[in-house]
Amino acid sequence: MPDPTPIGGTNAATPDRPPSEGLRHTLSRRRFLGYVVGSPFLVVATDLMPGSDRLAATSTTVPVPPPAGLPTSPQPADLIDLGDLLILAGLPTANMLSLQITPTGKARFQLPRQENGQGTQTAVAMILADELDMALADVEVTLAPAEPALMFNQLTGSSNAIRSLWDPVRTVAAAARGRLLAAAADLLDEPVSTLTVLNGVVQAPNGATITYGQLSAAAASTTTAPVTATPKDPSQYRLIGTPQPQMANRAIVTGQQRYAVDLPIPGALPTMVRRAPTIKGTLVTFDNADAVGSMPGVVKAVALPFGVAVVAQTFGQVIDAVNAVQATFTPGPVATEDDASIRQQLLAAPVPPFLAPPLLGTTVAHEFDWAMVNHAPMGTNMAVADVRPDSATVWAPLQTPIAALQAIAQAVGLPQDRVTVNVIRGAGSFGRTLFFDAALEAAQISKAAGLPVKLMWHRTNDMRHGRAHPPAHHRIRASYLAGEVLTFEHRVTSVTTDVSAGLGEAITAGLAKTSLGKMGFSQTLFETTITCPYNFGVVTQTLTEVPVDLNTDSWRSVFSYNTRGAEEVVVDQLAAAMGKDPVEFRLAFMQNDRQRAVLEKVADVGNWGSTLPAGWAQGVGFHQEYQSVVACLATLEPDPLAPSGYRVDSAVLAVDVGLAINPRSLEGQMLGGLTDGIGLVLGLGNHLRDGLPIESAWSHFRYPRQGQAPRDVEVIVMPPTADRPGGAGELGVPAAVGAVANAYARATGTVPTSFPVSFAVDWTPPPPGPVETAPLQGLPAPGNLYDY
Amino acid sequence: MTDTPQTFTFSLNGTPTTVTAPPDLPVLWVLRDLLGVTGPKYGCGVDECRACTCHVDGRAFATCVTPVSAIDGHTITTIEGLAGTVPGAGPDTLHPVQQAWLEHDVPQCGWCQPGQIMMVSALLAQLPDPAAITDADIDKIRNVCRCGTYFRIREAIKRAGELLAEGADS
């Protein structure tokens, strides 16, 4: 039946506003100040924000069109988001990023960020190569060790690596290019304006050439002096925006890529820890030290507060010894808690009341529970440490290496300048390596054992004692009247997310440079990441944290996958209540063309509304964050083999990050976010019983495998809509959660109230304490292709 | 674990290799901790994630639950040696599965990929027509990829099947 009244927030009536406005003060084509650093060959550093520019960047005053219809007022994240805060926190030290041009014509840049496979290293190399007119193969980007002087500018998180490095990296490259061309002009006796550069070779009009390698010494300076840099107009870039493979690919597929525990650190022996039967329980007694110490291969067994660490010749012997340990522990702080008791606390916590529903409005209300979810990176928590009386060296994947260095120095009783923390490529993270649990433990074990150690957590311990996304309860209520959405309110109650150690301090430092005032870490994280992308009248979204002492951490997209994912479910229900198609409804209430374009794209490419086999269903989800927008369309098919009864058969995502540096890796990030979203909705989570997650292995923790993954995925990278990149790494997850959950609701005719929808424990939890082992097997039978 | 170390001999990536180890020590730790061959990865230790997959006599096996005593006298190939199994291989040769992985830009973190590649290369080698591998066949592969690269793995498997079929024709 046609709606007699116009839908609120139609295109004509809606003030278009960009997804977020914070630092987008067209920094791109300004001139920046850099430094040429005293060195025999060319070394250039940047100073991104001299003087008053920094003040301009902290302004949060953004012109917002006057309300028309029932637009939603700008929320904090629309004005300044978490990425902006972290950029502000890092500004004072942006001039410490340095680039070398070697006499052999290579560009070398130490990246003060972590690489976990999200593609940052390759993207930064592309920016450098483009700005320098060099071949990509001649640009070497390595991971910088912890450098305490970088302060808050060595933090990887919030999908912010490329956003925060875009200006500094372009600046340092432009400054170097300027010095090189000036030196070439001298040597070739031609004005700079007549010179051209291709692949690091400068050519004069008369055909004479000289290479960057040859110019490096001439372009260098014996003293450090300021130079100005004018990065190219983004329209001049030739490499940026083209699909490039990850630089590590060849090493990975040939087995040459080294992760922390693969490094040949002399004398570093395999090490694992026997841990408490409840999380955060601490060691009281180690009762069979002699017996464990004399087991085959065992070199040391040391008692530490977090457990008994066993060092042996091989990990096989370590595992045997760890399981032979007899020890007692204090009960952990949540030893008496389980899923039900935590849920009770979440339900009982006082939350800000909903506004009174308008008298004439109709209300749509839903509540959702979200399970605790381990990060479960493919490589468990790992670190190598060599702590000696007067120095310490650590190798680990770290998103907050400076905080790690400081904590390690304190724990082993050394001054910070005697501690070296090397940042190594991570074996997955998804937020896990924002904390440095393994690095800190490895240092403590190395000191106690008097040996270098190679610590790798057993999967059982990583699953049970490793950090996780906390469980949460969500209450959402919306009201509408005559085709207008009047209110959209969300009360999130979550177990506290630990953001201390690194991220927390950076948030504080960033906040101090804004007018936002003081908020708690998590509150700031919530306020600067969660926003409503629709014109839903009065919108309120609040976070209430309940301090249950679980091992928590930010998990890919932090509050967004559950908060925005749940909201996307309610958006579908609101559309249904108002008699609208989910896609048409969203398009009508969206706030700008970027949002509409990605949704229209997935609806078009994914044949939204087409006839499907019986039992199948489509769903859509949308998300905006990090100055980026994404839409997802998922198609669900019945699958009798799946615990949830369903499998995502295919999916389409359309993504607009403003300016995509490397669309190939952007597509990869959307694919990973989609798989995460499928898991989070259909079957991924942890149960807490008697103070310990009961999952101990992949058979319990049901991350999708090939048989549960879509057979067809298409990712569309939209044409550039900005002259700078937004964030991407976490972006896809909330949209995928919304799409899969909505498809599930349409397929089953039931709105889920609890995620994941399939969460039964149809297996026997192994007892707390030991790590899981399996019977040894003989060689695989010939012809058995899959079950070897 | 049986305690007394014994000596075992096997071919490792084309090289005769002798180790002295407890007979029950899983092959994964013999490779990583005793021989310094770190391509095979640990992801669970209980034959669930398959990150440790290598080949024994050309067949995929879970090195984390196979004792070293079982491979005595056999031929072991790890990810480091896979390309060397291609006839006429030179230093820059890649196995067709590795080539397909590069073409499809499969890896993200990369930790699971050696196991994925070893599983797929053994699987395709045993199919009468690798180019005819189906989605249903691919669905049965249990290797975990926590970065969720499954669709690119699926595409790369099909591409590797084509490359292998082309190689067999030429």
Side-chain angles (χ1 to χ4, degrees):
Chain A
M1 205 173 74
D3 191 324
T5 56
I7 294 172
T10 56
N11 294 8
T14 303
D16 271 21
R17 95 175 130 86
S20 178
E21 283 287 348
L23 287 181
R24 284 144 307 285
H25 293 267
T26 54
L27 295 169
S28 339
R29 279 180 291 286
R30 280 220 324 267
R31 300 182 86 200
F32 296 102
L33 189 63
Y35 295 95
V36 56
V37 179
S39 165
F41 54 91
L42 182 59
V43 179
V44 172
T46 85
D47 186 356
L48 176 61
M49 288 285 175
S52 59
D53 289 343
R54 191 179 303 165
L55 296 175
T58 62
S59 165
T60 60
T61 311
V62 174
V64 175
L70 292 174
T72 297
S73 300
Q75 297 165 269
D78 291 322
L79 301 175
I80 182 161
D81 72 9
L82 180 62
D84 292 333
L85 271 193
L86 297 179
I87 290 170
L88 287 173
L91 282 185
T93 58
N95 64 350
M96 298 184 67
L97 309 182
S98 76
L99 172 72
Q100 299 176 6
I101 304 296
T102 71
T104 56
K106 304 279 187 192
R108 287 201 181 131
F109 182 75
Q110 282 205 322
L111 177 67
R113 298 289 184 277
Q114 169 70 347
E115 174 68 63
N116 292 310
Q118 73 275 41
T120 302
Q121 252 173 314
T122 303
V124 167
M126 290 170 69
I127 297 169
L128 288 167
D130 230 341
E131 193 66 57
L132 283 161
D133 288 317
M134 289 179 69
L136 189 54
D138 289 329
V139 179
E140 297 171 3
V141 176
T142 54
L143 304 186
E147 177 48 74
L150 283 172
M151 303 281 288
F152 304 110
N153 199 14
Q154 195 170 11
L155 182 140
T156 310
S158 190
S159 298
N160 207 36
I162 297 301
R163 265 180 80 188
S164 60
L165 291 171
W166 170 247
D167 281 323
V169 167
R170 292 189 314 138
T171 300
V172 77
R177 188 175 186 274
R179 291 285 300 188
L180 291 161
L181 284 180
D186 273 355
L187 289 166
L188 297 171
D189 201 21
E190 297 278 1
V192 167
S193 60
T194 66
L195 303 177
T196 58
V197 190
L198 182 65
N199 292 338
V201 180
V202 183
Q203 184 165 22
N206 64 5
T209 61
I210 190 163
T211 68
Y212 277 180
Q214 291 167 326
L215 289 166
S216 177
S221 171
T222 52
T223 57
T224 297
V227 292
T228 56
T230 310
K232 292 180 182 177
D233 185 294
S235 65
Q236 291 178 276
Y237 289 131
R238 285 176 291 188
L239 203 51
I240 289 168
T242 64
Q244 299 293 330
Q246 297 304 303
M247 296 173 89
N249 278 357
R250 191 175 175 103
I252 290 169
V253 305
T254 55
Q256 303 304 315
Q257 178 66 48
R258 303 273 196 181
Y259 303 81
V261 291
D262 298 335
L263 297 172
I265 308 300
L269 289 175
T271 303
M272 281 186 181
V273 175
R274 173 62 178 255
R275 294 176 194 277
T278 58
I279 62 172
K280 299 191 180 182
T282 56
L283 186 73
V284 179
T285 61
F286 174 23
D287 302 326
N288 61 340
D290 289 346
V292 171
S294 60
M295 286 181 72
V298 172
V299 176
K300 283 268 177 152
V302 294
L304 287 160
F306 49 83
V308 175
V310 179
V311 185
Q313 298 292 340
T314 69
F315 272 107
Q317 293 161 320
V318 170
I319 290 168
D320 285 351
V322 157
N323 277 350
V325 166
Q326 293 171 4
T328 57
F329 293 83
T330 61
V334 294
T336 59
E337 302 283 0
D338 58 23
D339 291 335
S341 70
I342 290 175
R343 182 166 187 270
Q344 247 173 4
Q345 294 177 61
L346 293 174
L347 290 174
V351 297
F354 289 130
L355 302 174
L359 285 176
L360 299 174
T362 308
T363 295
V364 172
H366 291 272
E367 298 197 12
F368 307 93
D369 291 303
W370 287 86
M372 171 172 55
V373 186
N374 193 289
H375 299 83
M378 203 69 219
T380 52
N381 282 345
M382 62 173 76
V384 179
D386 184 356
V387 178
R388 301 176 184 209
D390 58 350
S391 69
T393 311
V394 172
W395 296 259
L398 296 163
Q399 290 170 244
T400 57
I402 299 170
L405 185 151
Q406 292 164 343
I408 289 165
Q410 186 173 24
V412 302
L414 286 170
Q416 289 184 19
D417 62 4
R418 302 302 301 161
V419 179
T420 302
V421 172
N422 297 296
V423 179
I424 310 299
R425 181 189 182 88
S429 173
F430 320 105
R432 170 61 73 77
T433 54
L434 275 165
F435 283 85
F436 40 84
D437 299 311
L440 183 58
E441 286 185 357
Q444 292 170 281
I445 297 166
S446 176
K447 178 178 168 137
L451 296 165
V453 299
K454 183 185 292 187
L455 174 66
M456 186 164 69
W457 284 31
H458 194 281
R459 176 62 62 192
T460 297
N461 287 337
D462 201 84
M463 202 70 86
R464 291 180 161 180
H465 293 274
R467 292 172 185 270
H469 190 289
H473 184 78
H474 295 245
R475 301 175 175 95
I476 303 178
R477 196 177 72 179
S479 64
Y480 63 94
L481 177 66
E484 299 275 13
V485 178
L486 304 177
T487 61
F488 191 87
E489 300 192 87
H490 192 166
R491 300 291 172 265
V492 181
T493 310
S494 175
V495 167
T496 303
T497 302
D498 192 351
V499 295
S500 64
L503 179 57
E505 287 80 350
I507 288 171
T508 306
L511 264 184
K513 298 191 172 79
T514 71
S515 55
L516 293 182
K518 282 192 175 177
M519 289 188 278
F521 294 163
S522 300
Q523 205 64 40
T524 309
L525 204 58
F526 186 86
E527 294 280 345
T528 55
T529 57
I530 299 298
T531 181
C532 174
Y534 306 104
N535 280 317
F536 281 167
V538 175
V539 172
T540 62
Q541 295 154 304
T542 65
L543 170 70
T544 302
E545 291 200 315
V546 177
V548 181
D549 200 4
L550 304 174
N551 279 318
T552 64
D553 182 7
S554 301
W555 199 105
R556 196 175 192 176
S557 87
V558 200
F559 300 113
S560 296
Y561 81 67
N562 46 329
T563 301
R564 286 285 304 122
E567 289 181 0
E568 286 297 296
V569 173
V570 175
V571 169
D572 258 34
Q573 298 312 308
L574 199 48
M578 294 170 71
K580 302 292 179 193
D581 170 84
V583 170
E584 292 305 320
F585 179 82
R586 282 178 174 79
L587 289 173
F589 284 90
M590 280 177 161
Q591 295 166 337
N592 61 59
D593 288 341
R594 284 180 74 195
Q595 299 171 328
R596 285 184 280 267
V598 291
L599 183 57
E600 282 168 346
K601 180 59 83 175
V602 298
D604 178 35
V605 174
N607 296 311
W608 174 253
S610 59
T611 306
L612 296 169
W616 292 47
Q618 293 176 317
V620 292
F622 171 84
H623 186 59
Q624 72 177 33
E625 200 173 345
Y626 329 105
Q627 322 302 340
S628 302
V629 294
V630 64
C632 178
L633 187 160
T635 304
L636 212 62
E637 63 170 313
D639 178 1
L641 296 177
S644 68
Y646 290 92
R647 171 179 183 175
V648 174
D649 170 79
S650 60
V652 180
L653 294 102
V655 58
D656 171 1
V657 295
L659 177 65
I661 306 299
N662 184 355
R664 195 81 176 106
S665 75
L666 177 58
E667 291 166 14
Q669 289 306 296
M670 294 307 108
L671 176 60
L674 169 68
T675 315
D676 283 4
I678 291 169
L680 290 167
V681 171
L682 295 183
L684 195 62
N686 293 90
H687 300 81
L688 191 82
R689 279 189 196 165
D690 301 326
L692 188 75
I694 57 174
E695 286 76 13
S696 68
W698 291 105
S699 55
H700 313 146
F701 183 75
R702 289 171 171 165
Y703 193 76
R705 306 207 191 184
Q706 193 60 266
Q708 294 96 47
R711 295 190 190 88
D712 190 27
V713 179
E714 185 166 358
V715 180
I716 298 121
V717 176
M718 303 295 280
T721 54
D723 60 3
R724 59 177 48 241
E730 305 165 273
L731 179 67
V733 185
V737 164
V740 176
N742 283 328
Y744 183 85
R746 287 156 65 94
T748 60
T750 309
V751 181
T753 57
S754 185
F755 294 104
V757 296
S758 167
F759 201 38
V761 181
D762 51 5
W763 39 277
T764 306
V771 297
E772 203 172 344
T773 58
L776 295 177
Q777 299 174 4
L779 297 185
N784 202 345
L785 301 184
Y786 300 96
D787 295 315
Y788 44 86
Chain B
M1 188 176 290
T2 308
D3 298 348
T4 316
Q6 296 175 24
T7 298
F8 301 96
T9 302
F10 47 91
S11 164
L12 176 61
N13 297 329
T15 304
T17 302
T18 299
V19 294
T20 301
D24 285 356
L25 186 64
V27 172
L28 176 62
W29 309 120
V30 171
L31 294 170
R32 289 186 57 92
D33 299 338
L34 300 183
L35 298 171
V37 176
T38 55
K41 303 303 187 198
Y42 166 84
C44 68
V46 292
D47 185 19
E48 287 188 352
C49 77
R50 303 288 174 92
C52 68
T53 299
C54 293
H55 295 173
V56 53
D57 304 330
R59 298 197 303 275
F61 78 120
T63 59
C64 71
V65 292
T66 306
V68 63
S69 58
I71 64 166
D72 193 42
H74 289 269
T75 296
I76 303 299
T77 306
T78 72
I79 186 73
E80 290 94 335
L82 180 64
T85 65
V86 176
D92 294 328
T93 301
L94 290 176
H95 186 278
V97 174
Q98 293 170 319
Q99 184 61 47
W101 247 244
L102 293 187
E103 285 182 27
H104 285 273
D105 193 35
V106 172
Q108 286 185 27
C109 88
W111 187 260
C112 79
Q113 300 298 348
Q116 304 273 4
I117 290 168
M118 296 308 281
M119 168 64 201
V120 168
S121 54
L123 173 65
L124 291 174
Q126 288 163 75
L127 295 181
D129 178 6
I133 191 164
T134 65
D135 277 323
D137 294 331
I138 295 170
D139 279 353
K140 293 183 210 162
I141 297 173
R142 286 162 39 203
N143 296 54
V144 177
C145 172
R146 176 59 186 85
C147 296
T149 67
Y150 296 109
F151 181 63
R152 286 193 179 176
I153 291 174
R154 183 178 294 269
E155 291 181 300
I157 293 171
K158 293 174 182 173
R159 175 63 181 148
E162 291 171 9
L163 289 171
L164 283 161
E166 287 166 16
D169 289 345
S170 61

